[in-house]
Amino acid sequence: MRETPTIAAISTPLSVGAIGLVRLSGPEAVAIAGRVFRPIGRRTLETVPGYSAIYGHAVAGEEVLDEVVVFLYRAPRSYTGEDVVEFSCHGGPYLLQRVLRALLDAGAVPAQAGEFTKRAFLNGKMDLTQAEAVMDLIAASGADASRAALAARDGALSKKADAVAAALTHLAAHMSAWVDYPDDEIEDLTDARLTASLEEAGRELEGLLSTFDAGRILREGVPTVIVGRPNVGKSTLMNRLAGYDRSIVTEIPGTTRDIVEETIRLPGGLVLAVSDTAGLRDTDDPVEAIGVRLARARLEQSGLVLAVLDGSRPLDGEDRALIESLSGRPAVVILNKADLGPSPDESWVRSRLPHCVTLSAREGTGLDALDAAVRDALALGAVDPAAPMLANERQRRCVARARDAVAEALAAEHAGMTMDAVGVCIDEAIAALMELTGRQVTDAVVEEVFASFCVGK
């Protein structure tokens, strides 16, 4: 069989920076790196142990390309499980590309998207859920998202799935032994015990499935729309949340006519994809009317509504109609302009929608309360980012298949079918969980997972 090639790629963004990294992995990593690296001093890549760093120059023939520090990680104690060499260079795109070209000329081949992490998976350094968590960690845009990804990278999800799979495997083995060896002294598997074991597995899987929506919110943020009448402070709130002047703010009603979008991070780290919209009102201005129509459409599409009211004055009919329309939806009412005094209608608002905060967008007060109210409205108050959590649709499908198979096993047992029929359903559940972690997975699934990775990771 053809020997595994040694791969190379730039592992940092191709933009100007202080440091850039070019990574090699494979059986010839040390030899290929040695053809490009000229150490300063007596230490060489061939003689130093793993987890060593050597200072010197990257060269192409006799031409010095850059001053570098080279890090060596010897198999199997490396990210990929193979010999890994990393060139820490000055972070100019030209220099990084020259060093990469020299390594390719010396015998390496270009790495494919996600190939370093794919090799780590194939070499048993991580399972498939942990590999997927690597990209989630890179893409994390908030504190909760990074904590969730780090927990998955440390094996929180795979440990949970393995525990359920182990319980089902033990149950299947007991059933098989009890059926195949009736004369041996094997503990009787009663209907009550079988039912209890399957119901427990079903509860565990249902609990995992319930984490999917919350996990998606933590990772991707939630589409959020800011709505309200003109001049209640929607754009001022948008600018306060964004941290800069994203929306135009004037005393003239109807300033915002198009949808202004920004990804913002609340004080607690939760990410929202916020849309500031035109003030909701009847208008004869044809341009403003288009903006109002767009605002109402975005209101219907959003996953979270921030309804802004002017808390310094009594509510009018339009304000009350807006509040009534949000019943049953994830929404937070914001009584703005708290710096001008308390709202006379706060008790009425709270009687209609429980998630209500008073703040001053102009002064920047009350944002912590907004963070807490948003979490409550999205049912994230009790979510622990470090707990086992489903991160993508592939994982959700695997757990759903396992849950459905367990439910079929229970139905077969209640219907009085043979143990073999029940066992087939349990085997299907185990197979789905093995696919989740990658212990039993097709090449097509593996390729699909790593196709979404960036080159160099």
Side-chain angles (χ1 to χ4, degrees):
M1 294 181 64
R2 183 174 178 269
E3 188 178 59
T4 302
T6 296
I7 55 175
I10 298 170
S11 291
T12 47
L14 274 177
S15 58
V16 176
I19 294 174
L21 200 69
V22 183
R23 175 183 285 171
L24 281 163
S25 179
E28 297 297 317
V30 175
I32 292 172
R35 297 172 195 143
V36 175
F37 177 60
R38 184 181 298 164
I40 295 177
R42 297 181 179 179
R43 304 172 74 218
T44 65
L45 288 174
E46 292 77 9
T47 59
V48 299
Y51 290 88
S52 296
I54 309 176
Y55 168 70
H57 292 102
V59 299
E62 296 302 315
E63 180 186 1
V64 175
L65 302 178
D66 193 15
E67 181 183 30
V68 299
V69 176
V70 171
F71 298 90
L72 171 64
Y73 308 90
R74 293 194 181 275
R77 299 181 63 189
S78 70
Y79 180 76
T80 63
E82 305 171 328
D83 283 346
V84 172
V85 180
E86 294 178 344
F87 282 69
S88 180
C89 313
H90 291 96
Y94 173 75
L95 291 176
L96 293 171
Q97 290 170 338
R98 285 296 310 274
V99 172
L100 174 61
R101 186 188 311 162
L103 292 169
L104 298 179
D105 291 343
V109 300
Q112 301 300 310
E115 191 168 359
F116 291 96
T117 304
K118 181 180 179 181
R119 290 192 178 195
F121 164 67
L122 295 175
N123 291 328
K125 302 296 290 186
M126 61 180 72
D127 67 27
L128 204 52
T129 66
Q130 292 173 302
E132 289 170 314
V134 170
M135 277 307 297
D136 288 339
L137 195 56
I138 293 172
S141 56
D144 288 338
S146 65
R147 283 196 293 267
L150 187 58
R153 176 63 183 85
D154 289 340
L157 176 58
S158 54
K159 290 173 185 175
K160 183 75 168 181
D162 286 344
V164 178
L168 291 172
T169 301
H170 178 76
L171 182 61
H174 192 163
M175 290 170 56
S176 180
W178 187 69
V179 170
D180 294 342
Y181 304 99
D183 296 331
D184 290 355
E185 294 183 1
I186 298 173
E187 183 181 356
D188 188 13
L189 184 61
T190 64
D191 289 343
R193 181 178 175 188
L194 176 58
T195 297
S197 298
L198 290 173
E199 287 179 342
E200 175 61 23
R203 283 191 295 271
E204 294 287 346
L205 294 170
E206 196 65 56
L208 269 181
L209 283 171
S210 70
T211 68
F212 180 67
D213 288 337
R216 181 169 54 184
I217 289 173
L218 294 184
R219 290 189 314 278
E220 303 171 8
V222 58
T224 303
V225 62
I226 301 176
V227 296
R229 292 186 301 102
N231 273 24
V232 295
K234 300 187 303 300
S235 295
T236 302
L237 176 63
M238 176 69 155
N239 292 341
R240 176 64 63 180
L241 294 175
Y244 70 105
D245 290 343
R246 183 66 178 88
S247 297
I248 298 174
V249 176
T250 73
E251 297 297 327
I252 304 171
T255 303
T256 301
R257 300 189 173 197
D258 204 350
I259 294 175
V260 179
E261 299 177 318
E262 185 66 49
T263 298
I264 63 95
R265 189 176 295 107
L266 293 177
L270 185 63
V271 175
L272 304 179
V274 179
S275 299
D276 181 21
T277 61
L280 301 179
R281 66 170 178 174
D282 295 328
T283 177
D284 294 328
D285 186 319
V287 178
E288 185 182 355
I290 294 173
V292 173
R293 187 167 64 250
L294 292 174
R296 295 190 187 280
R298 186 59 61 93
L299 173 61
E300 295 303 317
Q301 300 165 2
S302 66
L304 174 69
V305 179
L306 301 182
V308 183
L309 308 177
D310 184 346
S312 68
R313 56 182 296 277
L315 303 182
D316 64 13
E318 290 181 335
D319 293 326
R320 294 177 184 272
L322 174 61
I323 298 305
E324 297 285 6
S325 72
L326 298 177
S327 177
R329 294 189 59 179
V332 176
V333 180
I334 298 171
L335 296 171
N336 191 26
K337 305 186 182 181
D339 52 307
L340 301 180
S343 170
D345 296 304
E346 182 174 349
S347 59
W348 181 87
V349 172
R350 290 186 182 277
S351 71
R352 298 305 192 274
L353 291 176
H355 306 108
C356 175
V357 297
T358 60
L359 59 77
S360 171
R362 185 174 65 181
E363 302 296 330
T365 59
L367 296 182
D368 288 334
L370 175 61
D371 184 289
V374 167
R375 288 176 180 273
D376 286 343
L378 296 172
L380 296 177
V383 173
D384 179 7
M389 193 174 297
L390 300 181
N392 54 53
E393 184 61 27
R394 184 197 75 84
Q395 295 176 4
R396 191 201 66 80
R397 291 199 307 266
C398 288
V399 175
R401 281 170 39 215
R403 178 208 53 192
D404 293 345
V406 168
E408 290 173 5
L410 269 170
E413 192 267 335
H414 290 328
M417 294 185 181
T418 64
M419 287 293 184
D420 287 342
V422 176
V424 168
C425 298
I426 293 176
D427 288 343
E428 290 177 359
I430 295 170
L433 293 174
M434 298 285 274
E435 182 177 323
L436 170 67
T437 58
R439 287 170 174 79
Q440 182 178 307
V441 67
T442 65
D443 291 342
V445 171
V446 173
E447 294 300 326
E448 179 184 352
V449 168
F450 290 102
S452 63
F453 277 52
C454 54
V455 175
K457 190 55 184 172

